[in-house]
Amino acid sequence: MAERITGHTELIGLMAYPIRHSSSPAMHNEAFAELGLDYAYLAFEVDNDTLEDAVKGLRALQMKGSNVSMPNKTVVGQYLDKLSPAAEMAGAVNTIVNENGVLTGHITDGIGYMQSLKDNDIDVIGKKMTITGAGGAATAIEIQAALDGVKEMSIFNIKDKFWENAEKTVEKIRANTDCIVNLYDLDDKDKLKEEIKDSYLFAQATGVGMKPMEGQSVIPDASFLRPDLIVTDTIYAPRETALLKMAKEAGCKTMNGLGMMLFQGDAAFHLWTGKHMPIDHMKEVLDIKYD
């Protein structure tokens, strides 16, 4: 790393809290090194209280851009100059691009998730999926899945601050796609079991399963699962959440969030540099292996 840093090195950040667990710095810096690009990627612990100042700092330091993760995805847009159409529709941003002082927010989570499914020979197009979550990543996945051609989607979330966001997501999907979509209360476990029962894929897109909720699961037991169900989790630290462990034991095909992280990272990487990551090399580095 020291050999690569020069007076011309472009800085890219990651703003989230907590963030020290993230694999993104290692992934991006390895890709920069592999392609011989003079960039460096660092993680910064930034929450909603310090986010506005952090964005001002990004602009003042002429950073090339930044990734944005929880809890900032649905908040950061108000501090930016422009939003991409997808970010505006999702109401969330995970990538900031700085073009001569003009900050544009993009969302690559949905693209990354759908690409990771394809990379793992999972074809949810024309089928039904059930998904938990209504935050930034979940919303991006829901919108992208509907745009890509998922036939039916059942969204579950607790009635928290994101419930209104989930209602708006449903309205946007109904207005802009042919996907049949419904929203349910995640506390209604009977309904969750019913919707999972005839789904091709169950996607977990909340923070349940990572710190400080490590060891917890959005489903109480394996009776919600069946061997031909595909179960995915957007979490990658830990690599096997309580949900994925339960699903694997039930005979389900499972996938954690590493593939999504790689492909959403590649989309962001392309926005910043105009180049794509060396995907095969990065899968080796990140030890991404599918069941």
Side-chain angles (χ1 to χ4, degrees), residues 68 71-78 90-93 134-137 139 161-162 165:
V68 181
N72 302 319
K73 288 184 178 183
T74 58
V75 181
V76 73
Q78 63 188 305
V93 167
T139 301
K161 63 181 181 179
F162 293 113
N165 185 58

Side-chain angles (χ1 to χ4, degrees), residues 142-181:
E142 289 151 9
I143 286 173
Q144 195 66 49
L147 288 171
D148 285 358
V150 168
K151 182 180 179 182
E152 185 176 350
M153 193 182 324
S154 294
I155 301 172
F156 283 81
N157 200 69
I158 58 174
K159 292 193 173 179
D160 62 1
K161 63 181 181 179
F162 293 113
W163 182 262
E164 185 179 345
N165 185 58
E167 292 177 321
K168 290 177 182 176
T169 299
V170 168
E171 290 173 10
K172 290 172 186 174
I173 290 173
R174 287 175 177 166
N176 294 284
T177 77
D178 295 324
C179 181
I180 300 164
V181 60

Side-chain angles (χ1 to χ4, degrees), residues 82-153:
K82 297 190 296 184
L83 296 178
S84 72
E88 195 158 356
M89 188 173 172
V93 167
N94 80 325
T95 302
I96 301 169
V97 177
N98 184 2
E99 296 174 291
N100 301 314
V102 177
L103 304 185
T104 304
H106 298 261
I107 186 77
T108 66
D109 285 326
I111 295 168
Y113 178 77
M114 296 303 289
Q115 185 61 38
S116 70
L117 292 184
K118 191 180 296 184
D119 193 57
N120 195 8
D121 297 321
I122 298 170
D123 184 11
V124 71
I125 306 306
K127 298 166 186 163
K128 176 180 176 178
M129 68 183 285
T130 293
I131 179 168
T132 59
T139 301
I141 291 170
E142 289 151 9
I143 286 173
Q144 195 66 49
L147 288 171
D148 285 358
V150 168
K151 182 180 179 182
E152 185 176 350
M153 193 182 324

Side-chain angles (χ1 to χ4, degrees), residues 179-193:
C179 181
I180 300 164
V181 60
N182 290 291
L183 174 63
Y184 304 103
D185 186 352
L186 184 54
D187 286 335
D188 186 348
K189 299 303 182 187
D190 289 338
K191 187 62 179 174
L192 179 60
K193 180 183 278 191

Side-chain angles (χ1 to χ4, degrees), residues 151-284:
K151 182 180 179 182
E152 185 176 350
M153 193 182 324
S154 294
I155 301 172
F156 283 81
N157 200 69
I158 58 174
K159 292 193 173 179
D160 62 1
K161 63 181 181 179
F162 293 113
W163 182 262
E164 185 179 345
N165 185 58
E167 292 177 321
K168 290 177 182 176
T169 299
V170 168
E171 290 173 10
K172 290 172 186 174
I173 290 173
R174 287 175 177 166
N176 294 284
T177 77
D178 295 324
C179 181
I180 300 164
V181 60
N182 290 291
L183 174 63
Y184 304 103
D185 186 352
L186 184 54
D187 286 335
D188 186 348
K189 299 303 182 187
D190 289 338
K191 187 62 179 174
L192 179 60
K193 180 183 278 191
E194 180 184 326
E195 294 304 308
I196 290 175
K197 188 176 181 180
D198 63 351
S199 292
Y200 169 78
L201 182 148
F202 174 49
Q204 201 296 115
T206 74
V208 177
M210 66 183 289
K211 290 181 179 179
M213 293 177 282
E214 197 167 352
Q216 299 180 34
S217 172
V218 292
I219 62 169
D221 57 64
S223 68
F224 286 65
L225 308 171
R226 62 180 197 279
D228 64 332
L229 177 71
I230 294 167
V231 179
T232 71
D233 203 321
T234 56
I235 293 169
Y236 59 83
R239 290 196 174 210
E240 186 174 83
T241 58
L243 170 66
L244 292 186
K245 185 174 187 295
M246 192 188 308
K248 196 171 287 185
E249 290 171 353
C252 304
K253 181 172 183 173
T254 64
M255 186 173 75
N256 65 21
L258 271 177
M260 174 179 166
M261 184 192 71
L262 172 58
F263 286 105
Q264 65 82 21
D266 175 59
F269 190 94
H270 187 258
L271 286 168
W272 295 318
T273 69
K275 300 179 184 295
H276 284 285
M277 287 181 170
I279 295 295
D280 289 340
H281 175 69
M282 297 314 304
K283 284 166 77 172
E284 285 183 22

